[in-house]
């Protein structure tokens, strides 16, 4: 009897919530499917159970409901590209959504640069790291990327000669881990030297993210999750082991550098650890003072982990996609190799500034970023106290609003009737016509792989350097017919899913390169 009464009360309570969310909520005027507007479960289903499929469902929702769609009780997704700069602006008007980003701090147990909510705090934190990842710094440390590319090329050639096949999926990700760990903290993880290309770490960062949608839907679990000892997590979910191992390496490096600084040992070169432990004075009045407090070891550790994780899969995946697409399109391969041979009769002369001048290579890289953005899905922000209006739909303060690179990059009004096609020519204006220039400008506005505004990608200049070097070097050395995509690998295996970072489905086959009939002509 008591049980029936309690059940009836629960059902009544749930019904009241549903009615309120649908008809009396400040977002009840926003179009969207019934179930999505009254509960977070549809998003949880597509993200948590179907593993990162939301970005493929959103286009159909916008098709049906228009450019502003309610995708959760308090979340709205936008599809009109002209709104992008308003949401992801310079000046921190729309702050990050704590429920979405909070779980990313979970295993580290401290805010990371990606997740800091306070504008002021983020601005200061970013100011420590910005100079280190600026274009100037990248040009100064170009040799790091050049050396690692040389090693990747050597491994590619030797694998093809000895085995006829190359595990490009893991090797390219190992390359980007080696670049970022050498570049950022002068302690290269040398994944390219490991027999399995460090695949355990690469898989672990994907597996750890499988928890995000659950923790995002039930944020009260985040602090509880933090209380579970690491060894219990590892026992229940073994992939955590490699993740924890990577944290141990970073923690040890922080301790080592702290000790060196306290002993007055001069480093061979400054690293992000030195920037964060012993920051140079800052010449910017907005910070109110010319000196900044050194960060705690925990925050330094967290940022180093963030930088490594953010720089690994994103760049590796985009470079891999670029190489796959060129190999799958013989005309593109021919044109790209021709451009590179002309520019670098001697391949030893390759350098970033010259690579960046090549229009067709630039087009190849932009297409790789467009079809394989590192963070393809929705990046939620919170509407500020002034409220906001998008496409004539007013949203009250506190509404979570998001847009997705995936939708922007497939907008047929901008990229033409077949936006799924890999076509570097979209970005090339050989005729110098004004009309073409305007079209390319509109495309540039819509290419948001690195985000925009104050929370855009910290590592964009390093990532672009890696993309220019890998794709430029591989196709300078391997003309058409010398290498191919493994016959058992197909475009379907490159389908993107997203759990913040973009991934290929876990069961997808991994991208492999095989030798072609003309491998012998490779220099
Ligand atoms: C093709 C490669 C890459 C892509 C497409 C990419 C994309 C992005 C995007 C879209 C964001 C904004 C995330 C948000 O709004 O929540 C971001 C942030 C960030 N990225 Fe990248 N990224 C790439 C490579 C890298 C690399 C190599 C690094 C290494 C330094 C890096 C470090 C970061 C960091 C630290 C943030 C947080 C910035 C902040 O909140 O201030 N990324 N990235």
């Amino acid at each position: 009897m008591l049980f029936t009464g309690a059940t009836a009360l629960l059902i009544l309570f749930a019904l009241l919530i549903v009615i309120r969310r649908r008809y009396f909520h400040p977002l009840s005027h926003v179009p969207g499917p019934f179930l999505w507007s009254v509960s977070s479960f549809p998003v949880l289903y597509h993200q948590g159970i179907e593993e990162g499929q939301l970005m493929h469902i959103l286009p159909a929702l916008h098709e049906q409901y228009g450019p502003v769609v309610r995708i959760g009780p308090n979340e709205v997704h936008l599809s009109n590209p002209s709104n992008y700069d308003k949401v992801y602006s310079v000046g921190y008007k729309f702050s990050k959504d704590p429920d979405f980003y909070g779980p990313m701090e979970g295993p580290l147990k401290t805010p990371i640069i990606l997740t800091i909510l306070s504008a002021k705090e983020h601005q200061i934190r970013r100011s420590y790291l910005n100079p280190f990842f600026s274009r100037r710094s990248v040009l100064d440390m170009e040799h790091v990327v050049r050396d690692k590319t040389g090693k990747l090329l050597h491994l590619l050639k030797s694998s093809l000669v000895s085995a006829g096949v190359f595990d490009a999926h893991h090797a390219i990700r190992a390359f980007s881990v080696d670049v970022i760990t050498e570049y950022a903290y002068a302690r290269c993880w040398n994944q390219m030297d490991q027999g399995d290309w460090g695949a355990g770490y690469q898989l672990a960062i994907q597996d750890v993210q499988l928890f995000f949608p659950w923790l995002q839907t039930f944020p009260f679990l985040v602090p509880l999750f933090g209380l579970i000892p690491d060894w219990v997590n590892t026992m229940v979910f073994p992939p955590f082991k490699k993740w924890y191992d990577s944290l141990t390496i970073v923690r040890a490096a922080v301790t080592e550098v702290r000790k060196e600084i306290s002993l007055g040992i001069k480093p061979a070169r400054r690293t992000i650890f030195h920037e964060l432990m012993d920051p140079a004075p800052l010449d910017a009045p907005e910070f109110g003072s010319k000196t900044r407090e050194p960060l705690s070891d925990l925050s330094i550790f967290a940022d180093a982990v963030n930088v490594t994780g953010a720089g690994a899969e994103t760049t590796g995946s985009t470079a891999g996609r670029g190489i796959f697409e060129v190999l799958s399109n013989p005309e593109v391969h021919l044109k790209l190799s021709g451009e590179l041979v002309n520019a670098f009769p001697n391949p030893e002369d390759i350098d970033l500034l010259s690579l960046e001048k090549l229009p067709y290579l630039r087009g190849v890289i932009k297409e790789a970023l467009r079809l394989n953005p590192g963070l393809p899905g929705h990046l939620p922000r919170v509407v500020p106290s002034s409220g906001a209006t998008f496409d004539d739909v007013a949203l009250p303060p506190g509404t979570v609003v998001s847009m997705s690179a995936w939708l922007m990059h497939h907008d047929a009004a901008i990229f033409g009737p077949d936006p799924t096609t890999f076509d570097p020519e979209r970005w090339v204006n050989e005729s110098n016509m004004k009309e073409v220039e305007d079209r390319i400008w509109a495309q540039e506005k819509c290419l948001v792989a690195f985000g925009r505004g104050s929370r855009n990608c910290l590592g964009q200049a390093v990532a672009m350097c890696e993309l220019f070097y890998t794709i430029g070097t591989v196709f300078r050395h391997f003309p058409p017919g010398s290498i191919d995509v493994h016959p058992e690998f197909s475009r379907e295996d490159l389908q993107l899913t997203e759990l913040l970072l973009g991934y290929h489905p876990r069961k997808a086959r991994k991208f492999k390169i095989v030798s072609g009939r003309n491998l012998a002509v490779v220099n």
Side-chain angles (χ1 to χ4, degrees), residues 386-419:
S386 53
T389 300
F390 299 100
D391 297 292
D392 296 329
V393 179
L395 301 180
T399 305
V400 173
V401 64
S402 58
M403 295 185 74
S404 309
W406 183 255
L407 272 79
M408 299 273 288
H409 293 181
H410 287 82
D411 191 310
I414 306 288
F415 293 103
D418 198 0

Side-chain angles (χ1 to χ4, degrees), residues 273-330:
F273 296 138
H274 298 91
E275 296 303 325
L276 296 166
M277 286 179 197
D278 182 21
L282 184 72
D283 227 356
E286 67 266 31
F287 296 108
S289 113
K290 286 199 182 234
T291 50
R292 287 167 294 180
E293 291 299 312
L295 289 189
S296 71
D297 281 4
L298 187 61
S299 300
I300 294 167
F301 155 74
D303 277 353
V305 172
N306 184 172
V307 160
T308 316
E313 178 68 26
T314 49
T315 323
S317 173
T318 305
R321 178 65 182 255
I323 293 172
F324 167 84
E325 292 291 353
V326 174
L327 290 178
S328 308
N329 291 280

Side-chain angles (χ1 to χ4, degrees), residues 84 88 96 100-101 113-115 122 126 129 133 180 303 306-308 310-312 314-316 318 369 372-375 379 381 448-452 454-460 462-464 466-467 500:
Y84 194 86
Y88 303 93
K96 288 196 165 182
F100 182 84
Y101 286 93
I113 186 162
L114 177 82
T115 64
H122 174 262
R126 184 101 181 207
L129 291 171
F133 291 100
I180 202 63
D303 277 353
N306 184 172
V307 160
T308 316
T314 49
T315 323
T318 305
L369 283 164
N372 202 108
L375 284 77
L379 298 174
R381 301 291 194 260
V448 292
F450 293 106
R452 279 223 190 99
S454 306
R455 303 303 295 255
N456 72 346
C457 177
L458 172 73
Q460 175 166 353
V462 190
M464 286 305 285
E466 290 181 55
L467 294 174
L500 182 69

